[in-house]
Amino acid sequence: MLQFITRRLGISLLIVVLAVSLMFGMIHMIPGDPTSVILGPRATPELRAEMNERMGLDKPIAVQLGRFLGKVARGDLGEDPFSRRPVTEIVFEQLPFTLVLVFTAIGAATLLGVPLGCFSAIHRDSWLDRASALMSVAFIAIPSFVVALYALLLFSVRWRWFPAIGAGESGDLADQAHHLVLPALALGLGWIGYIARLVRSSMLEVMEENHVRTARAFGLPERIVIGRYALRIAILPTVTILGLGIGTMMSGALFAEIVFSRPGIGKLLHEAVMTRNYPVVMGSVLVTTVFFVISTLVSDILNAILDPRLRGAGGK
Amino acid sequence: MIKKSGFKVPFVNRRDFLKQSTLASLGMVAASLPATAWSVDGDILHIRNYVDIKSLDPARMLSGGEGVIGNTIFLNLVQFRPGDSWNWDLDAAEHFEQLDETHYAFRLRPGIQFTNGFGEMTSEDVKYSLERIMDPAMKSPNAGDMGSLSHVEITGRYSGVLVLHSPYAAFIPIGLCAMAGGIQSKKALESVGGQFAIEPPACSGPYRFVSWQSQRKTVLERNPDWSGQPAAFREIHIHALNDIKAAELAYEAGELDCTQTSIESVEVFRRAMPPSSRLDVISSLRYYWVGMNMEHPKLTDIRVRQAVQYGIDVEAVIEAAWFGLATPATGIIAPGLIGHREKADVPLAGDRDKARRLLADAGVELPLKLTLSLPAQSLEMTAGQVIQWSLAKIGIEIDLDPQDNATLITMGMESAGDRWMDVQLHLQNFFMLGDPYYATEWFISKQVGVWNWERFRSEEFDNLHHIAMELNDSAERDKIYQRMQHLMEQTGCYRFLAHSVESLLSRTWLQPAYRADGFPMYREFKLSGPDQA
């Protein structure tokens, strides 16, 4: 198991370096001079030169990348050229909002989707199964930004049940939870359907397995058969998908953050790209990449815990 | 007090109908709300700001969104009066007088206190505040706003003289009244190393800074040390919402008391006004034009450029993109300012016959294909499409080239590489301040390859710009700036389109206050009287 984790960590580090380097190259290829965007029309040539030097833009791209990676190794993500605040501070200020949103969305999707999928599998071909299938596919088909917009119009503007903007007052958990409902719904609704269909399909497959039939033949209660014998195996693909899903949701969170005007790393990154704020772009990309890699790593480890076959093969 | 510009009900063609019915469906949702009377949320005013602030230091402020907050928590020596003119009033000063072309005397009101125990405002603070903007070590991007300010001489505890190197006619409107003119406490700033980012060490206005949460809001509260007329609200919460549609929805959801709206929403809100709300449409100083790179091989012939001028129907552009709300531009200087022209040289509707003749005289093979680079925003794209339609009628095929702002903003800059060589037509807009100097300075020869993407060079224009900058005679300046815009238009490089509008939605219990260009002045916001609610 240790060997498995170590190997995965090594691969993860390589993935982060490659992703960040690729993003670095891409952002520098986009036309647009960050100095002009940052300083505006009043900047003198001397100010521009000073800003270019401060952002390291006067050096070749390879040197800039090397410097950036070197700083990252020392825990320094650079400085925001607008406010001169450390990028680390800026990014980690916003990250918790996105994490809370993502975990709430995926948590809710799992809590609803897994039972729904189990239920559908157990009552296969019943009208409940068909209704569940219809709902699941509908949830998957509707784009999350459409859900966000209509949720905002209906629940905030029309009925005033939920707030339209912001993340709630600091220190007021109830208020923050209230602000979380609609964005999490928008982000997680499609995943409810996706998880439900995945679990249903896995359960149907696993419930035909010999060990499940044997468990039933021994007279074990159905809930034990489903929960301990069938679901434990059937959940494996879902765990893998959830690991990827958490990472994917980090980018999906951008829509929810913009529509609901929530703080978060997606919105921060979007604004940074639009203003060519290279240090904040790179800091945000680095953190989200690391997070994505961690979530897939955790998912792989969980899979290995749940499925001993994976441990024995060294995680291959 | 608030000027409402007249608007025409636009002729509803198919394009308008499709656009407006989509927006109207959003409005109908809002209109079905019960007619609830609104009141202040516990004396807290909730307002939208279009940016998340980066700095409130007058030496570092870069956007109007920061200036709006700075104007609320800092005093200037003098300040624009809210309303529809560019007159200014005394602010921190109880006396202000121009002694001659390069000297301005001031005397502060005694008893103005800085917050956080930093004591009374004195002439030392004025000297420190203004001179630091000009200090090369500060590297302030706002130093240009102060023009030729040399230093401040102190003549007494509350009095002094502002000394300029050379005359600078825009010193008051662009220097002293603007965000760089906010007076800081010398003691307070020195205690934090001479500059600050977000949290000011001391305030002097009717409100003081409380907190800032990144990407969320800035909170101001009534300043207990303020000795003037008490501030109307206990707190002001300024929400950073850069998406204007999100701000409109937040207003309709009852979470904002005042916000800007998009141009296309004006009709929607006029037809389905949220309960207890008013909409003010105020002419802004932002000007839009189509520029032509005169050094591009396809545009070197002045007759081709003039054909483009005469081929564009400005009235149709305004009707489609601004729903008829904007003021047609006769130049780069808006109505109400010195130098505004009553009429452009090229008629607003254009002249297609003349355009065709010009192209024929130039011997251009039709169709002539040109590219129009423009921001990828709804208003500009609509304007671009109308321009495309308009020029197609004279044999010019326009290829629209939408770009995001950061890409577009440097397209014509030589410092950003060779892209400037490919610029043909571009749809641009610049912001302005309350003096025409701020408009013309981007079109002088020195700006070629920087902000002058038309690459327009004129010795006469440059000379007039410098003369007008130093002249205090308003009548003479008026003639000069009119001449300058005529020179611009004569080159064929400019087709002036519109002076835009600001559309502002607010509660009827609120008495907002705006500068003549729609810039909100939060410290002047008050509660309406019963007859105005």
Side-chain angles (χ1 to χ4, degrees):
Chain A
M1 187 71 170
L2 188 63
Q3 192 186 7
F4 168 77
I5 293 171
T6 309
R7 191 163 163 271
R8 291 293 284 114
L9 274 171
I11 294 171
S12 302
L13 185 62
L14 191 61
I15 291 170
V16 169
V17 171
L18 278 173
V20 165
S21 303
L22 189 65
M23 190 64 212
F24 193 94
M26 280 171 62
I27 188 75
H28 281 76
M29 278 165 53
I30 301 174
D33 163 28
T35 306
S36 298
V37 175
I38 290 164
L39 292 175
R42 307 296 279 163
T44 59
E46 295 73 29
L47 264 179
R48 284 176 199 279
E50 191 264 344
M51 176 65 80
N52 276 334
E53 199 191 319
R54 193 148 48 88
M55 289 178 72
L57 299 175
D58 52 339
K59 303 283 183 294
I61 296 245
V63 171
Q64 291 182 47
L65 176 60
R67 274 186 170 182
F68 173 71
L69 291 173
K71 277 185 175 176
V72 167
R74 295 191 300 273
D76 176 11
L77 298 182
E79 185 186 80
D80 173 13
F82 283 95
S83 62
R84 304 202 186 184
R85 295 169 67 213
V87 171
T88 321
E89 188 183 307
I90 293 171
V91 169
F92 282 96
E93 212 170 50
Q94 304 302 317
L95 184 64
F97 294 102
T98 303
L99 291 180
V100 162
L101 175 60
V102 165
F103 280 110
T104 304
I106 206 94
T110 306
L111 283 173
L112 293 170
V114 169
L116 190 63
C118 288
F119 183 85
S120 293
I122 293 163
H123 298 93
R124 182 185 182 170
D125 294 332
S126 67
W127 69 269
L128 286 168
D129 178 30
R130 293 200 176 95
S132 156
L134 199 68
M135 239 172 37
S136 299
V137 172
F139 289 168
I140 295 167
I142 304 171
S144 58
F145 69 88
V146 172
V147 175
L149 280 169
Y150 277 93
L152 183 65
L153 284 172
L154 199 58
F155 295 110
S156 294
V157 178
R158 178 72 178 88
W159 289 335
R160 309 276 172 105
W161 289 357
F162 295 98
I165 56 171
E169 291 298 325
S170 301
D172 187 342
L173 285 178
D175 191 40
Q176 288 175 12
H178 194 210
H179 280 78
L180 198 51
V181 171
L182 290 187
L185 171 73
L187 203 54
L189 190 67
W191 279 87
I192 296 173
Y194 191 37
I195 290 170
R197 300 310 293 162
L198 194 60
V199 167
R200 180 187 181 275
S201 141
S202 298
M203 284 289 286
L204 288 175
E205 207 179 297
V206 167
M207 276 163 68
E208 297 303 316
E209 295 284 321
N210 289 338
H211 72 283
V212 174
R213 275 195 255 144
T214 306
R216 279 207 181 100
F218 273 111
L220 288 173
E222 192 62 13
R223 58 179 172 77
I224 302 282
V225 172
I226 300 291
R228 202 178 293 175
Y229 289 86
L231 189 58
R232 187 181 163 133
I233 306 296
I235 204 73
L236 287 176
T238 306
V239 170
T240 309
I241 291 297
L242 281 178
L244 286 170
I246 289 172
T248 311
M249 263 200 190
M250 293 282 283
S251 42
L254 167 66
F255 291 109
E257 286 166 4
I258 287 176
V259 170
F260 292 98
S261 300
R262 270 184 74 85
I265 205 156
K267 203 160 144 225
L268 177 72
L269 182 53
H270 174 254
E271 192 188 299
V273 170
M274 299 305 281
T275 54
R276 304 296 187 270
N277 190 338
Y278 293 160
V280 174
V281 169
M282 293 315 304
S284 304
V285 165
L286 175 72
V287 167
T288 48
T289 307
V290 165
F291 188 74
F292 186 93
V293 161
I294 289 172
S295 66
T296 50
L297 178 63
V298 166
S299 155
D300 286 347
I301 291 169
L302 267 175
N303 265 340
I305 291 169
L306 289 170
D307 186 349
R309 294 171 297 180
L310 294 175
R311 272 179 255 162
K316 289 181 192 160
Chain B
M1 182 190 75
I2 306 302
K3 180 180 173 187
K4 292 188 169 85
S5 70
F7 74 105
K8 296 185 286 185
V9 175
F11 171 72
V12 182
N13 60 30
R14 186 175 71 91
R15 184 183 298 169
D16 288 348
F17 176 76
L18 286 171
K19 190 168 189 168
Q20 290 178 33
S21 60
T22 311
L23 295 164
S25 66
L26 291 177
M28 278 193 285
V29 169
S32 61
L33 289 170
T36 314
W38 290 95
S39 61
V40 183
D41 168 22
D43 284 343
I44 299 174
L45 182 64
H46 293 271
I47 300 177
R48 176 239 183 186
N49 199 353
Y50 72 95
V51 285
D52 190 21
I53 59 175
K54 305 291 182 194
S55 178
L56 290 177
D57 185 334
R60 299 250 166 267
M61 285 184 199
L62 288 171
S63 72
E66 291 158 350
V68 149
I69 297 174
N71 174 261
T72 311
I73 59 175
F74 303 132
L75 294 181
N76 294 34
L77 277 177
V78 292
Q79 189 52 266
F80 287 121
R81 202 181 286 167
D84 54 6
S85 73
W86 288 100
N87 296 327
W88 51 267
D89 277 336
L90 299 171
D91 200 16
E94 65 176 12
H95 174 79
F96 188 87
E97 180 190 354
Q98 185 173 3
L99 300 174
D100 57 40
E101 286 184 333
T102 55
H103 292 77
Y104 298 78
F106 71 90
R107 189 172 64 243
L108 292 171
R109 266 188 288 124
I112 299 173
Q113 296 291 328
F114 285 108
T115 57
N116 298 328
F118 283 105
E120 192 185 21
M121 182 185 291
T122 67
S123 51
E124 276 283 350
D125 299 307
V126 175
K127 178 180 171 69
Y128 179 82
S129 301
L130 299 185
E131 286 184 358
R132 68 189 282 266
I133 304 289
M134 306 305 291
D135 184 356
M138 181 58 67
K139 293 177 186 148
S140 170
N142 299 323
D145 291 349
M146 289 295 174
S148 57
L149 176 66
S150 168
H151 62 279
V152 179
E153 282 171 9
I154 291 175
T155 55
R157 179 174 168 80
Y158 304 112
S159 58
V161 176
L162 312 176
V163 181
L164 278 56
H165 286 297
S166 56
Y168 174 46
F171 182 51
I172 294 174
I174 291 178
L176 298 182
C177 288
M179 52 196 189
I183 302 168
Q184 305 298 300
S185 161
K186 179 180 177 188
K187 224 187 298 180
L189 237 61
E190 285 177 342
S191 74
V192 295
Q195 56 183 294
F196 63 94
I198 305 288
E199 184 169 349
C203 303
S204 56
Y207 292 93
R208 65 178 178 182
F209 178 91
V210 175
S211 66
W212 167 76
Q213 295 166 318
S214 175
Q215 305 230 2
R216 287 193 280 172
K217 62 184 178 184
T218 305
V219 177
L220 311 179
E221 69 178 4
R222 202 177 270 146
N223 179 2
D225 297 325
W226 173 249
S227 53
Q229 182 148 13
F233 301 97
R234 180 168 57 84
E235 288 182 4
I236 300 179
H237 289 204
I238 302 160
H239 299 262
L241 301 170
N242 58 15
D243 185 74
I244 200 166
K245 294 296 185 189
E248 290 174 15
L249 289 171
Y251 183 93
E252 291 181 80
E255 293 183 51
L256 293 177
D257 303 315
C258 180
T259 180
Q260 296 89 350
T261 76
S262 56
I263 301 289
E264 58 260 32
S265 294
V266 170
E267 271 305 308
V268 174
F269 284 123
R270 284 192 195 278
R271 289 179 197 173
M273 187 72 74
S276 305
S277 299
R278 74 152 77 71
L279 187 71
D280 295 306
V281 180
I282 298 171
S283 299
S284 89
L285 296 180
R286 186 174 290 278
Y287 56 96
Y288 288 71
W289 79 98
V290 172
M292 292 168 249
N293 177 5
M294 65 195 304
E295 292 183 12
H296 191 278
K298 289 187 181 182
L299 295 164
T300 50
D301 190 329
I302 189 173
R303 289 169 294 189
V304 174
R305 302 196 298 270
Q306 287 172 330
V308 172
Q309 283 182 317
Y310 281 92
I312 293 175
D313 183 347
V314 170
E315 288 174 340
V317 171
I318 291 175
E319 200 62 48
W322 280 274
F323 298 84
L325 295 171
T327 309
T330 54
I332 55 177
I333 299 170
L337 287 177
I338 294 167
H340 170 70
R341 296 200 296 175
E342 289 304 318
K343 237 172 74 152
D345 299 334
V346 178
L348 287 179
D351 185 337
R352 287 193 190 124
D353 291 332
K354 183 164 182 177
R356 289 188 194 102
R357 282 198 301 275
L358 284 162
L359 286 174
D361 289 345
V364 168
E365 191 183 317
L366 297 179
L368 171 64
K369 291 184 195 295
L370 292 173
T371 302
L372 173 64
S373 303
L374 70 177
Q377 309 280 343
S378 160
L379 187 148
E380 286 85 345
M381 287 300 295
T382 305
Q385 285 164 2
V386 175
I387 292 167
Q388 195 178 39
W389 159 83
S390 194
L391 291 176
K393 292 189 178 298
I394 62 165
I396 296 179
E397 281 182 11
I398 292 291
D399 184 23
L400 293 181
D401 173 32
Q403 312 230 353
D404 86 290
N405 189 53
T407 309
L408 187 71
I409 204 172
T410 55
M411 249 184 65
M413 289 186 177
E414 289 174 7
S415 61
D418 291 337
R419 287 164 66 222
W420 66 269
M421 292 184 187
D422 297 327
V423 172
Q424 296 178 23
L425 271 56
H426 63 98
L427 174 58
Q428 271 285 22
N429 72 88
F430 278 176
F431 178 70
M432 238 198 87
L433 292 174
D435 189 277
Y437 154 80
Y438 202 86
T440 55
E441 73 164 313
W442 313 113
F443 300 99
I444 56 177
S445 303
K446 212 167 65 162
Q447 291 285 350
V448 169
V450 186
W451 297 103
N452 179 349
W453 297 2
E454 293 78 18
R455 307 185 73 79
F456 154 64
R457 290 177 177 85
S458 164
E459 204 178 312
E460 184 186 352
F461 187 93
D462 293 353
N463 289 338
L464 289 174
H465 172 75
H466 289 295
I467 290 168
M469 194 172 102
E470 298 186 356
L471 208 54
N472 274 300
D473 183 331
S474 299
E476 276 306 307
R477 292 185 87 212
D478 183 62
K479 285 190 203 143
I480 288 173
Y481 284 114
Q482 293 210 28
R483 169 77 187 153
M484 290 172 75
Q485 290 167 96
H486 168 73
L487 288 172
M488 288 172 75
E489 203 171 8
Q490 284 294 290
T491 64
C493 291
Y494 302 90
R495 181 58 164 148
F496 303 118
L497 295 179
H499 296 289
S500 193
V501 290
E502 288 291 331
S503 165
L504 300 140
L505 197 54
S506 60
R507 307 293 176 192
T508 48
W509 49 255
L510 178 64
Q511 191 181 312
Y514 305 111
R515 214 167 59 183
D517 59 348
F519 181 92
M521 302 178 80
Y522 299 148
R523 59 154 118 154
E524 306 288 345
F525 278 36
K526 293 179 176 32
L527 289 166
S528 294
D531 56 338
Q532 286 172 294

